[in-house]
Amino acid sequence: MYVLEVKELTKSFGKIKAVDHISFTVPEGSVFGLIGRNGAGKTTTIRMMMNIYLPDSGEVILRGTKIGQEFKDKAGYLPEERGLYKKMKVWDTLLYFAELKGKTGREIEKKANYYLKKFELFDRKNSKLEDLSKGNQQKIQFITTILHDPEFLILDEPFSGLDPINTDLLKEIILELKSQGKIIILCTHLMDFAERLCDHIALIEKGKIILHGSLSEIKTRFAKKNILISCEEDLMFLKDLGIVDSVMDNGNEKSIKLKNGGEPQELLRQLIQKNIIIKKFAADEISLHEIFIEATGEDKRLNTEGANV
Ligand code: ATP
């Protein structure tokens, strides 16, 4: 069952149609990925959902009712452009933003301490924001987003500026929040993160949704005849095999697409015959990155059949 329904949202800026009649649904208890390249229309969509922009047309329905200003209190929104008061101290910042959402008291302080410890910032409680690194400021902004215990979390490019350790930490916290029943909408152009975190996605391209649904179902649909091979050797010679449609070289991992009628077994036989040392051979596997390329038609060798428009 879905909790949010975005219906035919449209927004233009002058001649630019930033968002063009987009519709998607967000299921209960999910991490939902709104994914697409730079300028695709993700932030504009989110701003309309958050009532920051008025749509030209369309609406957002929350459990059967059109959302209005009150959605802002139900949601924690991490905007793409970060904005905290640089002269303010970390602790005061956290309490101030919680208070703006009507939350004060011991519970909030306990929670603020919990997240400061989790993000390894407990000893910076009394530092001014301007004295923190960009990544640490970003972590504080994330805490302000979740402190008032919102039902929805809307995170616009939450990983930008974070190092790998903090990226993992943030992923862990997002999944912890999901396990608490929060509904998380993650806007990103980073397919890798979307793939690891999201169970449902909408892929937006030039203001339109070109793919929408459960990630596992989409993967099954796109993975037909897709083989992933881990090996160090160059496999470009496979292009000349009659059964191979395309070869994509991602370093130690190669993605092979078979033509209709091509059998993985035959491909394996050819590799063994050439004495290729194979570390992994997996049929019917495809990454979200490859799906993105296929669905957006970036790689014309791949066919776009199956995109759920
Ligand atoms: P990114 O990942 O780069 O943030 P995005 O998918 O969030 O991209 P949007 O920021 O929604 O994309 O932008 C969609 C289109 O609308 C772009 O062409 C952008 O230049 C344009 N746009 C967005 N906001 C405005 C605005 N306030 N005025 C004019 N044009 C805008």
Side-chain angles (χ1 to χ4, degrees):
M1 198 41 207
Y2 54 80
V3 53
L4 265 180
E5 187 180 7
V6 168
K7 278 170 98 174
E8 300 281 326
L9 273 188
T10 298
K11 180 83 186 168
S12 294
F13 299 103
K15 282 187 183 143
I16 300 171
K17 214 163 209 184
V19 171
D20 190 3
H21 294 92
I22 72 166
S23 300
F24 58 86
T25 49
V26 178
E28 292 274 9
S30 65
V31 179
F32 183 89
L34 187 57
I35 61 176
R37 68 177 92 186
N38 295 132
K42 305 180 293 294
T43 300
T44 307
T45 303
I46 291 305
R47 286 184 178 159
M48 286 190 278
M49 292 172 78
M50 290 302 297
N51 244 316
I52 298 169
Y53 287 157
L54 208 61
D56 297 339
S57 60
E59 55 188 6
V60 183
I61 311 284
L62 167 64
R63 295 195 180 95
T65 311
K66 189 173 170 174
I67 63 167
Q69 208 58 22
E70 80 292 345
F71 183 64
K72 279 191 170 169
D73 293 328
K74 290 193 168 76
Y77 173 46
L78 180 73
E80 195 180 23
E81 71 294 343
R82 320 299 184 203
L84 295 174
Y85 305 107
K86 303 259 180 217
K87 301 277 175 209
M88 218 163 162
K89 289 184 177 169
V90 166
W91 186 249
D92 297 339
T93 301
L94 295 180
L95 298 191
Y96 171 73
F97 277 94
E99 201 175 335
L100 280 184
K101 298 281 183 182
K103 295 280 175 86
T104 53
R106 288 292 304 271
E107 266 313 296
I108 286 295
E109 290 181 18
K110 222 169 106 187
K111 238 170 126 185
N113 279 324
Y114 170 80
Y115 283 113
L116 282 174
K117 280 183 192 146
K118 193 114 190 162
F119 275 122
E120 295 168 355
L121 284 170
F122 189 67
D123 58 342
R124 306 304 303 269
K125 255 173 133 167
N126 293 314
S127 300
K128 283 187 185 163
L129 261 304
E130 65 185 359
D131 295 334
L132 298 186
S133 70
K134 263 203 176 141
N136 282 341
Q137 290 183 29
Q138 158 108 347
K139 290 192 279 179
I140 297 299
Q141 180 135 14
F142 182 82
I143 302 175
T144 65
T145 307
I146 56 176
L147 209 50
H148 62 289
D149 201 24
E151 187 184 355
F152 296 89
L153 280 177
I154 301 186
L155 309 173
D156 200 348
E157 302 287 359
F159 301 104
S160 73
L162 295 184
D163 63 36
I165 306 275
N166 282 306
T167 297
D168 282 349
L169 204 56
L170 183 56
K171 267 188 226 155
E172 193 188 298
I173 291 172
I174 290 175
L175 290 174
E176 184 181 297
L177 289 160
K178 181 193 173 188
S179 72
Q180 291 168 12
K182 309 285 180 209
I183 296 142
I184 297 156
I185 299 177
L186 176 70
C187 275
T188 187
H189 64 277
L190 300 168
M191 299 301 134
D192 211 29
F193 292 150
E195 174 146 29
R196 274 182 270 164
L197 282 170
C198 300
D199 23 54
H200 287 76
I201 59 156
L203 173 55
I204 180 165
E205 169 77 352
K206 294 183 184 135
K208 292 189 166 145
I209 299 290
I210 59 168
L211 202 58
H212 171 220
S214 107
L215 187 54
S216 61
E217 179 271 319
I218 289 172
K219 278 193 161 195
T220 309
R221 183 144 45 91
F222 274 76
K224 268 200 289 170
K225 302 285 177 198
N226 212 69
I227 318 278
L228 268 189
I229 299 171
S230 287
C231 71
E232 282 165 16
E233 285 91 341
D234 184 353
L235 296 187
M236 282 303 165
F237 70 91
L238 289 176
K239 278 184 173 172
D240 299 329
L241 275 188
I243 58 167
V244 170
D245 184 36
S246 67
V247 179
M248 203 192 280
D249 194 333
N250 305 313
N252 285 343
E253 206 154 68
K254 279 88 176 166
S255 171
I256 318 291
K257 209 161 185 73
L258 295 181
K259 285 183 183 158
N260 278 342
E263 284 303 325
Q265 205 56 34
E266 172 59 13
L267 181 71
L268 189 57
R269 206 176 60 76
Q270 296 280 347
L271 291 167
I272 291 168
Q273 220 170 50
K274 293 252 186 220
N275 288 324
I276 304 282
I277 299 166
I278 303 164
K279 292 182 188 146
K280 180 176 155 193
F281 184 95
D284 284 356
E285 278 197 20
I286 191 163
S287 68
L288 186 54
H289 175 81
E290 290 170 283
I291 292 173
F292 175 79
I293 289 176
E294 186 164 342
T296 55
E298 272 293 278
D299 186 337
K300 302 294 181 224
R301 288 169 305 159
L302 303 172
N303 87 58
T304 51
E305 201 181 69
N308 181 9
V309 182

